[in-house]
Amino acid sequence: MKISFSPEDELFRAEVATWLKGNLTGEFEQLRFRGGPGDEHRFPEERKNWEQHMAKAGWLCVGWPEECGGRGLSINQQVIFNEEYARAGGPGHMGHIGEGLAGPTIIAFGSEEQKKRFLPGIVNGTEYWCQGYSEPSAGSDLANVKTRGVLNESTGQWEISGQKLWTSLAHESDWCFVIARTEPGSKGHKGLSFLLVPMDQPGIEVRPIEQLTGTSEFNEVFFDNAITDASNIVGKPGDGWKIAMALLGFERGVSTLGQQMQFLNEMDEIIRIAKENGAAEDPAIRQRIADAWIGLRIMRYNALRMLSGSQDGALQKEAMIYKLHWATWHANLGKLAMDVLGPESELLTEGPYELTRLQSMYLFTRSDTIYGGSNEIQRNIIAERALEMPREPRVDR
């Protein structure tokens, strides 16, 4: 595991930092530190404009192979880019699902025609994606898919019916990758397919879900005989589970280092307030701040260990513990923020009475231990796949 960077890498770091400093100005100044978790509803069009500005300078999809439109950066340089982006206050990516999930999956499993069709829109920041995985009756059980896909041989189109839930940015997306059951009578992992579905069509309805924060960046999505061309299946019918699992491996890639820099920005803000209002004089608060710092360093070293392994989308054992650790850590950081703020944590001081950054963070962290696989599901995965513990036999009562 590498925990330091070469002189050449540090020169690249300086290049990234200089470009961000010179470009996160003017019309883009208002976007700094905006659009992250709990704040994704902010400035959607402006953030799309920012990503197209980045694309013109070659700063989108930097880790993709050059033949796919990326820069082909090394893992070290991808880590540096994500760290510097977060350090500079780069806004949350409207296209992160396309860049970090859909794109790498199409590169790994898609046909040449699919690469030519879908990758340029992601690289240029002109087409946006959402993820059609979770369903109302399935919770964190991804294999319990009820959404159906039927290939109509006469029209050459897949017809899709069902419902997806917690679909982030569906209302801003052009495409959705959908896990659908395409083999009638199949159960569990078998009979699933990975379909690329256009969002702008009569058979799709997007309904926002309002959260504790008062925002609604994720949605319910209803498919009522929605269609997509027969060619828009990644892999073969029945390959959906394999591809879905590979995608989750990509999800825990280099962007995790950028996520950690965002966490550090939040922690720095908490420490600043603790020093200003005297909360830092409380030994218990100081100990919790120290514990948060230690937890963030552990998170970083585990991510670097993860990135030292294969980058083929396989879910490594190091990756299996990552979600559980960061979700629990971040929820505790939200509690720490409120305790540092004291009575101010419960006040909205001026109209239009919007939540402050830390108030919104605290409320949003309530969902961290649920989305992306709840903590309980994460523990099962660790036990069964990382520790290879046998399942207990089910007892019907």
Side-chain angles (χ1 to χ4, degrees):
M1 179 183 74
K2 295 184 66 175
I3 59 174
S4 61
F5 298 97
S6 69
E8 292 78 11
D9 288 335
E10 294 302 338
L11 286 175
F12 176 73
R13 184 186 298 277
E15 177 190 351
V16 175
T18 299
W19 188 88
L20 288 167
K21 182 179 180 180
N23 286 268
L24 272 171
T25 57
E27 63 178 302
F28 300 127
E29 173 71 25
Q30 65 178 338
L31 303 182
R32 295 183 70 242
F33 298 105
R34 303 312 300 261
D39 193 47
E40 287 180 311
H41 63 294
R42 295 286 189 177
F43 307 113
E45 291 306 315
E46 292 84 351
R47 284 158 56 203
K48 289 180 181 180
N49 292 339
W50 162 248
E51 289 178 34
Q52 290 166 18
H53 179 75
M54 290 179 65
K56 291 175 182 176
W59 290 117
L60 282 188
C61 307
V62 292
W64 290 14
E66 292 183 20
E67 61 270 22
C68 295
R71 285 197 174 197
L73 296 186
S74 67
I75 291 294
N76 282 359
Q77 290 177 328
Q78 293 178 60
V79 167
I80 287 169
F81 175 79
N82 280 277
E83 287 185 335
E84 291 306 309
Y85 186 86
R87 193 194 312 276
H93 277 203
M94 293 292 293
H96 71 93
I97 295 176
E99 179 175 354
L101 302 181
T105 302
I106 292 170
I107 290 171
F109 298 100
S111 65
E112 290 304 314
E113 291 73 19
Q114 288 170 343
K115 294 175 187 178
K116 291 177 183 177
R117 165 61 187 89
F118 294 110
L119 299 184
I122 301 174
V123 172
N124 296 330
T126 55
E127 287 190 335
Y128 294 87
W129 289 75
C130 58
Q131 179 175 0
Y133 271 26
S134 298
E135 297 191 1
S137 61
S140 293
D141 183 7
L142 178 58
N144 190 18
V145 171
K146 299 292 192 298
T147 297
R148 304 182 309 280
V150 177
L151 182 60
N152 187 323
E153 299 287 354
S154 63
T155 63
Q157 294 175 320
W158 290 97
E159 298 176 353
I160 302 155
S161 295
Q163 180 184 355
K164 298 294 181 177
L165 197 62
W166 318 125
T167 312
S168 297
L169 298 177
H171 58 298
E172 297 285 353
S173 297
D174 305 289
W175 289 84
C176 182
F177 51 88
V178 177
I179 299 296
R181 192 164 298 283
T182 54
E183 181 181 324
S186 62
K187 295 182 179 179
H189 305 163
K190 298 181 179 180
L192 303 176
S193 296
F194 194 97
L195 304 173
L196 311 179
V197 182
M199 293 292 289
D200 186 14
Q201 58 170 302
I204 295 181
E205 180 184 359
V206 177
R207 297 182 190 172
I209 301 173
E210 186 171 325
Q211 306 153 42
L212 279 173
T213 54
T215 63
S216 52
E217 66 263 18
F218 53 70
N219 312 266
E220 296 176 283
V221 181
F222 296 86
F223 299 87
D224 184 9
N225 285 323
I227 59 174
T228 192
D229 289 341
S231 60
N232 289 339
I233 181 172
V234 179
K236 298 177 295 186
D239 283 349
W241 182 256
K242 176 184 73 175
I243 296 171
M245 291 300 98
L247 182 142
L248 295 180
F250 295 129
E251 185 176 31
R252 301 179 189 191
V254 293
S255 62
T256 58
L257 275 298
Q259 177 194 49
Q260 291 167 32
M261 187 59 67
Q262 292 170 351
F263 291 164
L264 180 59
N265 290 338
E266 293 170 346
M267 196 165 75
D268 285 345
E269 177 71 2
I270 294 168
I271 293 171
R272 180 190 66 78
I273 294 171
K275 290 179 178 178
E276 289 180 355
N277 69 8
E281 298 177 9
D282 183 337
I285 292 292
R286 288 203 305 273
Q287 183 62 54
R288 289 169 64 188
I289 290 173
D291 288 342
W293 187 89
I294 291 168
L296 189 56
R297 300 304 293 179
I298 291 172
M299 202 185 304
R300 174 179 173 79
Y301 292 136
N302 185 65
L304 291 171
R305 181 172 60 163
M306 255 176 3
L307 296 171
S308 298
S310 170
Q311 298 301 305
D312 60 0
L315 201 57
Q316 305 165 60
K317 292 183 177 180
E318 295 87 351
M320 293 178 192
I321 66 175
Y322 182 75
K323 170 59 169 59
L324 176 64
H325 178 74
W326 78 251
T328 304
W329 179 92
H330 201 213
N332 289 333
L333 188 72
K335 296 176 186 176
L336 174 61
M338 295 301 99
D339 290 341
V340 165
L341 285 168
E344 291 185 22
S345 66
E346 300 179 9
L347 300 176
L348 301 176
T349 57
E350 57 186 49
Y353 301 105
E354 294 184 352
L355 297 171
T356 67
R357 179 184 172 196
L358 290 182
Q359 288 171 329
S360 180
M361 183 268 282
Y362 165 70
L363 291 174
F364 194 82
T365 59
R366 303 303 89 198
S367 67
D368 284 346
T369 58
I370 300 173
Y371 72 80
S374 69
N375 275 11
E376 292 76 14
I377 293 294
Q378 298 299 326
R379 291 187 177 97
N380 286 344
I381 292 172
I382 292 168
E384 294 171 6
R385 298 182 61 185
L387 301 178
E388 299 180 352
M389 297 173 64
R391 288 190 179 190
E392 292 185 6
R394 181 172 177 174
V395 178
D396 294 323
R397 298 181 185 276

